[in-house]
Amino acid sequence: MPHLYHLLQSPVGSGSKVPVKMEVNPPKQEHLLALKVMRLTKPTLFTNIPVTCEEKDLPGDLFNQLMRDDPSTVNGAEILMLGEMLTLPQNFGNIFLGETFSSYISVHNDSNQVVKDILVKADLQTSSQRLNLSASNAAVAELKPDCCIDDVIHHEVKEIGTHILVCAVSYTTQGGEKMYFRKFFKFQVLKPLDVKTKFYNAETDEVFLEAQIQNITTSPMFMEKVSLEPSIMYNVAELNSVNQAGECVTTFGSRAYLQPMDTRQYLYCLKPKKEFAEKAGIIKGVTVIGKLDIVWKTNLGERGRLQTSQLQRMAPGYGDVRLSLEAIPDTVNLEEPFHITCKITNCSSERTMDLVLEMCNTSSIHWCGISGRQLGKLHPSSSLCLALTLLSSVQGLQSVSGLRLTDTFLKRTYEYDDIAQVCVVSSAIKVES
């Protein structure tokens, strides 16, 4: 579908988002060339307001007949607001971060003279930089009367706030006089999405990221892609789909549209790569997780793309010694022993520990085995796995608690309660393994 043009010269009042044409250093004499700058944009679908009534009402079939004769309505679906026609842009519109700003620049020779050495330059001034958008910096040898020089510029908008398009034209008259003028076109770039993130640190070194994405524009968006690019230490798994009958189906349904002011939540699981997972000290201090890559489309297929900055989490503080669970059953029988596997890691990077394990019973959890046994020396950043046996005397969801590790060198005791939860059922109920 061809693009349509809208002239960037509309005067605006206070607070409007339509660009204002500004001229500085007014020319002392009339220029031979005229500069026009227009934004390239696509049309919108025409909408009408259907007016109808029942046949027994006074107008009878008059309103329905008028809608059937209206060329803007859809044949057979006249009461729908959406028609088959397109509407030309009525104003400059909005430009959002991540979209591509396209503009058509035309320099026309309004005089009856041949103009030489014409150079057209287009720069975009933002709050932090000035970019040259001209396709070519070479001068045109000559421009005959009623002829024009056309150029189309494109720029992916990567900053919000005020942008100024600076168009400068220089040329030489037949008399050899060098002429120069420029025009400024100011417009605002708005933020299309509001992105909020939350991190959840699991005991198994996994990190869960919840990304909340809200459409803060005034039109629906088609969310083409929302992905997480992890840092070099992690692998990522998207948790935004389910497996149904062997097919991967998105949790958002068949329609991927995000209506204005609606919010959608995306979930990702990051697991440390094997070469880093074995180094507890490295993973402990990792704060950079990765960045989100968001691609969407609006209206008639205009594409936008945003990449967040590197997302950072608050690194969990495990202390000098970390205890995590490697294996535990979900459901166990009442008063029957079950087994768990614990992993003990020396998070210190310098000091070797000599550890003693104590197991303290609670009102519902009873440990089986010898309490106060020596675990031996544990070198810096190294781990050991420990198989333990326990049973529960109370039904329901019970917390595994009561483990104590004592460092004999520093005489320091580390307490571990609410390590995990297990569902305890009556022995009459068969527990599936």
Side-chain angles (χ1 to χ4, degrees), residues 199-256:
F199 289 101
Y200 304 92
N201 298 309
E203 284 293 329
T204 56
D205 284 330
E206 294 178 340
V207 179
F208 291 89
L209 169 64
E210 177 191 346
Q212 299 179 0
I213 300 177
Q214 183 182 26
N215 176 10
I216 57 177
T217 69
T218 57
S219 59
M221 286 183 176
F222 173 77
M223 305 305 293
E224 185 174 291
K225 183 182 75 168
V226 180
S227 62
L228 177 64
E229 298 179 1
S231 63
I232 59 173
M233 293 188 179
Y234 287 96
N235 292 318
V236 64
E238 295 191 9
L239 305 180
N240 304 308
S241 59
V242 292
N243 194 330
Q244 293 183 354
E247 294 185 2
C248 190
V249 180
T250 175
T251 56
F252 306 114
S254 58
R255 296 182 180 179

Side-chain angles (χ1 to χ4, degrees), residues 7-18:
L7 190 62
L8 302 186
Q9 294 181 353
S10 303
V12 296
S14 175
S16 174
K17 299 182 180 66
V18 182

Side-chain angles (χ1 to χ4, degrees), residues 343-354:
K343 183 179 180 180
I344 302 173
T345 304
N346 181 357
C347 297
S348 172
S349 58
E350 301 176 351
R351 188 168 56 86
T352 299
M353 296 182 178
D354 191 3

Side-chain angles (χ1 to χ4, degrees), residues 113-330:
Q113 304 178 26
V114 176
V115 180
K116 298 181 179 181
D117 300 329
I118 306 98
L119 180 61
V120 183
K121 186 178 180 182
D123 292 341
L124 186 64
Q125 177 71 53
T126 69
S127 58
S128 62
Q129 58 184 334
R130 188 182 182 109
L131 303 170
N132 180 19
L133 304 183
S134 300
S136 174
N137 293 322
V140 178
E142 65 176 24
L143 185 64
K144 296 180 180 180
D146 291 329
C147 293
C148 61
I149 300 173
D150 300 324
D151 190 15
V152 176
I153 58 175
H154 303 280
H155 173 67
E156 184 179 347
V157 182
K158 298 181 180 179
E159 296 182 41
I160 60 174
T162 303
H163 287 57
I164 301 175
L165 181 63
V166 183
C167 297
V169 179
S170 62
Y171 60 96
T172 304
T173 64
Q174 279 186 338
E177 183 180 3
K178 294 186 179 295
M179 305 293 290
Y180 173 84
F181 68 94
R182 61 179 179 173
K183 293 184 179 181
F184 298 79
F185 303 93
K186 181 179 179 180
F187 59 92
Q188 295 288 333
V189 175
L190 308 176
K191 187 170 73 167
L193 299 170
D194 185 26
V195 181
K196 297 179 181 178
T197 57
K198 294 180 181 179
F199 289 101
Y200 304 92
N201 298 309
E203 284 293 329
T204 56
D205 284 330
E206 294 178 340
V207 179
F208 291 89
L209 169 64
E210 177 191 346
Q212 299 179 0
I213 300 177
Q214 183 182 26
N215 176 10
I216 57 177
T217 69
T218 57
S219 59
M221 286 183 176
F222 173 77
M223 305 305 293
E224 185 174 291
K225 183 182 75 168
V226 180
S227 62
L228 177 64
E229 298 179 1
S231 63
I232 59 173
M233 293 188 179
Y234 287 96
N235 292 318
V236 64
E238 295 191 9
L239 305 180
N240 304 308
S241 59
V242 292
N243 194 330
Q244 293 183 354
E247 294 185 2
C248 190
V249 180
T250 175
T251 56
F252 306 114
S254 58
R255 296 182 180 179
Y257 288 97
L258 190 61
Q259 298 293 335
M261 304 311 296
D262 279 1
T263 301
R264 183 173 290 176
Q265 294 170 299
Y266 294 84
L267 186 62
Y268 303 90
C269 176
L270 297 107
K271 297 182 180 180
K273 293 181 179 179
K274 187 175 181 180
E275 58 268 29
F276 298 108
E278 298 173 354
K279 301 178 181 179
I282 295 179
I283 291 297
K284 174 186 175 183
V286 171
T287 58
V288 176
I289 295 300
K291 56 185 178 181
L292 287 170
D293 187 15
I294 307 171
V295 180
W296 70 92
K297 290 181 180 179
T298 59
N299 292 337
L300 297 181
E302 298 95 331
R303 177 175 295 213
R305 182 184 181 186
L306 280 182
Q307 276 193 333
T308 65
S309 56
Q310 289 288 348
L311 302 176
Q312 294 188 344
R313 62 161 180 165
M314 185 69 69
Y318 298 124
D320 294 334
V321 182
R322 179 187 177 190
L323 186 143
S324 59
L325 280 180
E326 295 292 296
I328 183 173
D330 295 328

Side-chain angles (χ1 to χ4, degrees), residues 2-8 37-43 89 92 95 100-105 151-154 302:
H3 287 75
L4 301 177
Y5 304 141
H6 183 76
L7 190 62
L8 302 186
V37 179
M38 291 167 273
R39 181 189 176 189
L40 280 163
T41 184
K42 290 187 176 181
F92 179 77
I95 299 180
T100 299
F101 170 70
S102 300
S103 185
Y104 170 75
I105 301 175
D151 190 15
V152 176
I153 58 175
H154 303 280
E302 298 95 331

